[in-house]
Amino acid sequence: MAAGDRKYFSKQLVALLVGATLCSYFGSVPVSYGQANTSAQDIGKKIPEGAKLLLSANELVYNRDADLVSAVGGVQINYAGYKMVAQKVEYNQKTGRMMALGNVELVSPDGNRIYADNLDVTDNFADGFLNSLRIETSDNTRIVAESGQRVGGTMMILNKGVYTACLPCAEDPKRAPFWQVKAKRVIQNGVTHTIRLESARFELLGYPIAFLPFIEVPDNTVKRKSGFLFPTMSLSQNLGFGLSIPYYYVISPSMDATVTTTGYTAQGFLVEGEFRQRFENGTHILRVAGIDQAKPDNFSSGTSDAEASRRGMVASKAEFRINPRWTFGWDVMVQSDNNFSKTYKLRDFTATDRTNQIYLTGLGKRNYFDMRAFYFDVQDADRTNTAEKQQAIVYPSLDYHYVAPQPLAGGELSADVNLTNISRTHDDFLTTVDGFDRFRGLKGQTSRLTAELQWKRTYVTPTGLVITPLLAARGDAFALNMDSPVNANGVPYAGNYLDDNSATRSMFTAGLELRYPILMTTDNSTHILEPIAQIYARPDEQLAGRLPNEDAQSFVFDATSLFDRDKFSGYDRVEGGTRANVGIQYTGTFDSGYKLHGIFGQSYQIAGQNSFATDDLVNVGADSGLETDRSDYVGLGGVETPYGVSVAASYRLDEKDFEFRRGDLTTAYQNDTFQTQVTYTHLSAQPAYGFAEDNDEIQTSSKVKFKDYWSIFGGIAWDLNNDVLSRRTLGLSYEDECTIFTIAYTDTRDSDDESASDWTIGARLTFRTLGDIKIGTNTLE
């Protein structure tokens, strides 16, 4: 063969590869999100210049009389990542057609494979035929067709096509997959970038369950395309059966929207809209929803759900990157009443406590800045909206943390600044519990500025003793414009509340921590035993209990907070007096697979006033285990075994008689077919802190896998004190490589507020690459 002929033949083989690749590409499975629009020219551009073509065949023949170039016998072609094998490849210069014959297999660089008995295309790839076509994509989706035809360079038509994302059965490959879609014709349009399945029949386990005249979806060259999405169904006690039909609309390359209409058998039509826009430096999402309730009396009388007729909400969420270090954004929601979003289970808005905020954050190598303003929505059935009106409005709260780049006297110097400015329109007064009043918030406005410097350095002695001295200085300034605390009966607060317009306080701390890790090893285990001792010398807390307490109300003393320098959860209270914390922690690992860990210790008020024994407006330290000179004992521990069994416990024991005051115990087991977990939680009564009775609860959940891909799961939450099952769940699920199906029944009961009790049925059916069919909120497991 002449050199010029070989060069011409090589070009035609390259063209043949690209043409076959296009056939594979346009016949691939439709999905909603692809990479980019692709054409023959684009594929050609992706092939690097100078790429070498490797051709292997038993015989290479050039018939000058017939103008036919042929590679015969075991043909293998490699070019720029494309691989093709066939029994014979030939190009007819007279007709301008190229053919690959006999067990044709083409593999593209992205892993997609096309199989055919033969492939026949024109040299410009505008028209062509394929017989006995099978396509396998890199994500394990498959299309099989009796024949395929490429028309006009823009359209691919497959006859009698079958599509599935399920793998063939390993034991019986001829068995029908779990699900598949059969169509008389599958038409891929390269202009509109859509795939149309005509006379489509959806089959499950080989049995037809749905017939449609046609289905049209975007092909895998499309990132986004307008159209209807899979419907969602729901079923609940107060709303009835609901069917949601979403429509997705592409506005521009940077904007899109989804409009969803839901029809409820009990309440009418709910309309939701979500508008999304992407900018160069951020995103914005706007959501709206509304309904005119048909049967408000379905809800419990006297609730906001029952008394509201026309209900709706508007929400906006955005985040923008000002530069690599600074971020600005917001997340806000306004609704017609205080329970609309929760009642209708609007996505992302179902929580009882909803936080609206606007923020500015900055993150550097050694510093951090965060400024936020908050408004808190409380979603409940209270028609007077009392709980929400009692919430503080925060504008703003600022936190700044800084670590000096250079050591000071060999140690680390850091600074923290906090600014909080809040107001409240209603007193947040908790009804007297066993004669104790708790003022969680006062009507009016207050501001606080806190600044603290800390220095610490760590020394390690030759014997392994770790010594860490610490010095800290803190100052607080308050601006007070709040009403004096008075309970519901007009009785003033019994404590010594500071009824001034301003106040200042300071705190200086000198601390020392000693740790002595002891490493012990045996032939089959390793153990680390570490005694820890701390002492913090401080003056008494100034104005203890005389100032508003907004951010230090939540308080739990346990092993995780034993070694904290200041055990209060916020800045409004500061721990004073001289205190020592003593404990020991242990970690053990065994070659057999067992693992052990634990912490045990106690805290001591050595001198000065005990801040936790000082009453404040919320009685935050009452019955906490720290109100005495010798604290309760606290600890935690756990065991992990190589057999799937684990036990973890956290506990607080009375310092006098070791009575169990607070804690939980969790036992779990897991193997290939069964998993379960049981948690017991106990909280002793803290009347002054708002808990008049003991609180004991058992929560359990289990899942059993049976018959390959099937599982049954369930769980309960049992309020032992009221002898009420506060939550029950039971469900069934199926999951394999192409299908997920889950259905569950959930019953929740609130013994304090029966209007909040409700049952729901939730289900999800997912066909991989096709979409989801849902019933309920999909919070099933």
Side-chain angles (χ1 to χ4, degrees):
M1 181 186 296
D5 294 331
R6 293 193 184 97
K7 182 176 181 181
Y8 180 76
F9 182 60
S10 296
K11 288 182 179 179
Q12 299 308 320
L13 286 175
V14 172
L16 177 61
L17 279 169
V18 176
T21 302
L22 283 174
C23 292
S24 173
Y25 186 81
F26 287 129
S28 61
V29 176
V31 294
S32 298
Y33 300 96
Q35 296 300 317
N37 292 342
T38 307
S39 64
Q41 293 82 0
D42 295 328
I43 293 178
K45 293 177 182 177
K46 294 177 182 178
I47 298 177
E49 294 184 4
K52 295 182 179 180
L53 182 143
L54 301 178
L55 169 64
S56 174
N58 295 337
E59 186 178 6
L60 188 63
V61 180
Y62 178 52
N63 188 330
R64 289 183 178 274
D65 296 333
D67 285 336
L68 187 67
V69 183
S70 304
V72 182
V75 181
Q76 298 183 30
I77 301 173
N78 294 336
Y79 182 72
Y82 294 91
K83 301 176 182 180
M84 188 178 76
V85 297
Q87 294 178 0
K88 183 178 181 180
V89 176
E90 60 182 30
Y91 173 67
N92 191 316
Q93 294 176 324
K94 289 183 178 179
T95 63
R97 302 193 71 88
M98 296 175 291
M99 295 188 66
L101 307 171
N103 298 325
V104 180
E105 178 181 352
L106 177 80
V107 181
S108 61
D110 58 6
N112 291 340
R113 294 174 179 267
I114 180 173
Y115 303 88
D117 285 349
N118 58 70
L119 184 152
D120 181 359
V121 294
T122 58
D123 55 7
N124 64 354
F125 321 125
D127 301 282
F129 299 91
L130 298 93
N131 290 327
S132 299
L133 176 67
R134 185 172 91 253
I135 300 167
E136 298 179 1
T137 65
S138 57
D139 63 348
N140 289 325
T141 53
R142 290 164 170 77
I143 286 184
V144 179
E146 287 189 358
S147 62
Q149 180 181 1
R150 182 162 168 78
V151 180
T154 61
M155 188 172 294
M156 185 74 177
I157 300 175
L158 303 179
N159 300 310
K160 295 185 178 181
V162 179
Y163 163 66
T164 184
C166 300
L167 296 176
C169 177
E171 298 177 356
D172 184 8
K174 295 183 179 180
R175 181 192 301 174
F178 189 84
W179 64 265
Q180 61 185 3
V181 180
K182 292 183 177 180
K184 288 186 177 180
R185 292 209 310 172
V186 180
I187 303 173
Q188 196 280 339
N189 193 316
V191 177
T192 61
H193 297 283
T194 58
I195 294 182
R196 181 183 178 95
L197 293 88
E198 296 182 346
S199 300
R201 181 177 68 189
F202 187 88
E203 294 185 355
L204 193 65
L205 296 174
Y207 297 95
I209 62 172
F211 296 86
L212 293 172
F214 70 91
I215 303 174
E216 188 171 280
V217 294
D219 66 21
N220 67 345
T221 68
V222 176
K223 290 183 178 180
R224 304 174 304 156
K225 185 173 181 62
S226 300
F228 287 99
L229 305 179
F230 269 84
T232 300
M233 289 170 282
S234 63
L235 182 63
S236 65
Q237 182 176 358
N238 297 319
L239 306 180
F241 175 77
L243 176 64
S244 301
I245 301 177
Y247 183 84
Y248 176 73
Y249 180 64
V250 178
I251 302 173
S252 73
S254 61
M255 289 187 293
D256 57 23
T258 302
V259 178
T260 304
T261 302
T262 304
Y264 289 103
T265 56
Q267 299 299 340
F269 288 94
L270 172 73
V271 179
E272 299 177 69
E274 180 172 331
F275 170 80
R276 297 166 292 268
Q277 184 171 10
R278 182 178 295 276
F279 302 89
E280 291 185 1
N281 63 338
T283 59
H284 174 239
I285 301 173
L286 177 67
R287 291 184 61 184
V288 296
I291 189 173
D292 188 354
Q293 294 188 148
K295 298 179 180 179
D297 54 357
N298 268 25
F299 300 97
S300 300
S301 61
T303 64
S304 56
D305 294 312
E307 297 194 358
S309 178
R310 295 181 179 178
R311 312 176 71 181
M313 60 82 71
V314 178
S316 175
K317 183 177 181 180
E319 183 170 284
F320 298 95
R321 299 282 295 183
I322 301 174
N323 58 42
R325 292 188 177 184
W326 288 90
T327 302
F328 170 72
W330 64 83
D331 185 359
V332 297
M333 184 266 285
V334 178
Q335 55 185 349
S336 57
D337 59 87
N338 57 307
N339 209 37
F340 167 66
S341 298
K342 183 179 180 181
T343 298
Y344 284 88
K345 298 177 176 60
L346 302 184
R347 179 173 50 87
D348 299 329
F349 298 102
T350 59
T352 300
D353 300 312
R354 160 72 188 174
T355 301
N356 299 279
Q357 60 178 314
I358 181 171
Y359 59 89
L360 173 67
T361 62
L363 180 64
K365 292 182 178 180
R366 304 183 69 87
N367 57 3
Y368 172 74
F369 176 91
D370 183 275
M371 183 170 64
R372 295 172 185 262
F374 297 97
Y375 182 85
F376 302 99
D377 277 317
V378 178
Q379 297 198 91
D380 58 23
D382 179 11
R383 62 184 179 83
T384 63
N385 206 14
T386 303
E388 182 171 320
K389 294 176 182 178
Q390 292 175 339
Q391 299 300 307
I393 302 173
V394 183
Y395 41 72
S397 175
L398 180 150
D399 284 286
Y400 177 73
H401 177 72
Y402 172 79
V403 178
Q406 300 298 328
L408 177 63
E412 180 186 83
L413 180 66
S414 62
D416 287 280
V417 177
N418 174 265
L419 171 65
T420 299
N421 185 17
I422 68 172
S423 70
R424 184 179 277 103
T425 59
H426 291 67
D427 286 328
D428 185 4
F429 169 75
L430 187 67
T431 304
T432 300
V433 177
D434 287 354
F436 298 97
D437 293 337
R438 299 183 69 239
F439 300 87
R440 296 182 297 187
L442 302 179
K443 180 180 179 180
Q445 183 174 358
T446 183
S447 301
R448 175 186 41 75
L449 175 64
T450 299
E452 183 176 55
L453 286 174
Q454 176 181 279
W455 174 90
K456 66 178 181 180
R457 182 178 180 180
T458 298
Y459 302 88
V460 181
T461 67
T463 60
L465 179 65
V466 181
I467 304 173
T468 304
L470 176 146
L471 296 173
R474 167 176 162 172
D476 301 274
F478 294 83
L480 305 172
N481 185 22
M482 310 185 84
D483 293 351
S484 298
V486 178
N487 69 15
N489 298 320
V491 179
Y493 171 57
N496 187 20
Y497 177 71
L498 181 66
D499 195 7
D500 289 342
N501 293 328
S502 62
T504 59
R505 71 181 178 192
S506 60
M507 179 61 66
F508 300 92
T509 303
L512 182 66
E513 179 184 85
L514 303 176
R515 293 174 177 256
Y516 191 66
I518 303 170
L519 176 63
M520 299 175 289
T521 60
T522 67
D523 292 339
N524 58 5
S525 64
T526 301
H527 309 266
I528 300 176
L529 194 67
E530 186 178 28
I532 304 172
Q534 298 174 327
I535 186 169
Y536 295 109
R538 297 168 289 215
D540 292 344
E541 179 187 4
Q542 297 176 359
L543 301 174
R546 303 184 62 191
L547 296 168
N549 180 2
E550 294 284 350
D551 71 349
Q553 296 186 12
S554 175
F555 183 74
V556 176
F557 173 53
D558 58 19
T560 63
S561 60
L562 172 63
F563 298 109
D564 289 348
R565 174 167 63 89
D566 189 340
K567 295 178 177 58
F568 284 113
S569 59
Y571 288 97
D572 284 340
R573 291 296 304 270
V574 56
E575 188 176 340
T578 299
R579 177 173 290 275
N581 305 311
V582 179
I584 189 169
Q585 64 181 10
Y586 163 78
T587 302
T589 58
F590 298 81
D591 294 346
S592 59
Y594 284 88
K595 296 181 181 180
L596 307 175
H597 71 276
I599 298 176
F600 183 80
Q602 193 176 28
S603 184
Y604 304 88
Q605 185 73 24
I606 297 176
Q609 183 183 28
N610 187 344
S611 295
F612 304 102
T614 304
D615 294 337
D616 68 1
L617 292 172
V618 295
N619 301 320
V620 69
D623 300 312
S624 65
L626 283 168
E627 72 278 7
T628 55
D629 290 344
R630 293 175 63 243
S631 78
D632 288 348
Y633 298 97
V634 293
L636 59 81
V639 180
E640 298 179 24
T641 74
Y643 309 108
V645 178
S646 63
V647 179
S650 175
Y651 52 88
R652 197 187 95 214
L653 308 177
D654 188 271
E655 53 97 7
K656 293 180 180 179
D657 56 12
F658 288 92
E659 183 180 352
F660 187 34
R661 293 296 188 185
R662 185 186 185 104
D664 55 68
L665 174 66
T666 300
T667 303
Y669 173 76
Q670 181 174 355
N671 61 21
D672 293 339
T673 59
F674 176 67
Q675 64 183 52
T676 185
Q677 178 175 298
V678 179
T679 300
Y680 167 70
T681 302
H682 169 75
L683 304 177
S684 292
Q686 295 177 260
Y689 193 46
F691 299 101
E693 300 176 350
D694 290 352
N695 188 348
D696 296 270
E697 184 179 68
I698 293 178
Q699 297 186 36
T700 179
S701 61
S702 299
K703 183 176 183 180
V704 181
K705 184 177 180 180
F706 66 97
K707 197 168 178 64
D708 297 329
Y709 306 108
W710 290 93
S711 300
I712 185 171
F713 61 90
I716 62 171
W718 183 14
D719 182 350
L720 298 177
N721 303 97
N722 296 306
D723 195 19
V724 171
L725 292 177
S726 56
R727 181 180 178 88
R728 293 176 292 183
T729 300
L730 180 64
L732 179 71
S733 68
Y734 173 92
E735 181 174 356
D736 62 18
E737 79 284 347
C738 64
T739 310
I740 299 174
F741 168 71
T742 307
I743 184 170
Y745 167 84
T746 301
D747 182 13
T748 58
R749 182 163 297 278
D750 188 339
S751 57
D752 296 327
D753 182 9
E754 285 298 326
S755 65
S757 302
D758 197 5
W759 61 262
T760 58
I761 294 177
R764 180 183 67 174
L765 179 59
T766 300
F767 301 111
R768 186 172 69 86
T769 73
L770 290 184
D772 290 343
I773 299 175
K774 299 178 182 179
I775 299 177
T777 59
N778 199 28
T779 56
L780 301 176
E781 296 187 65

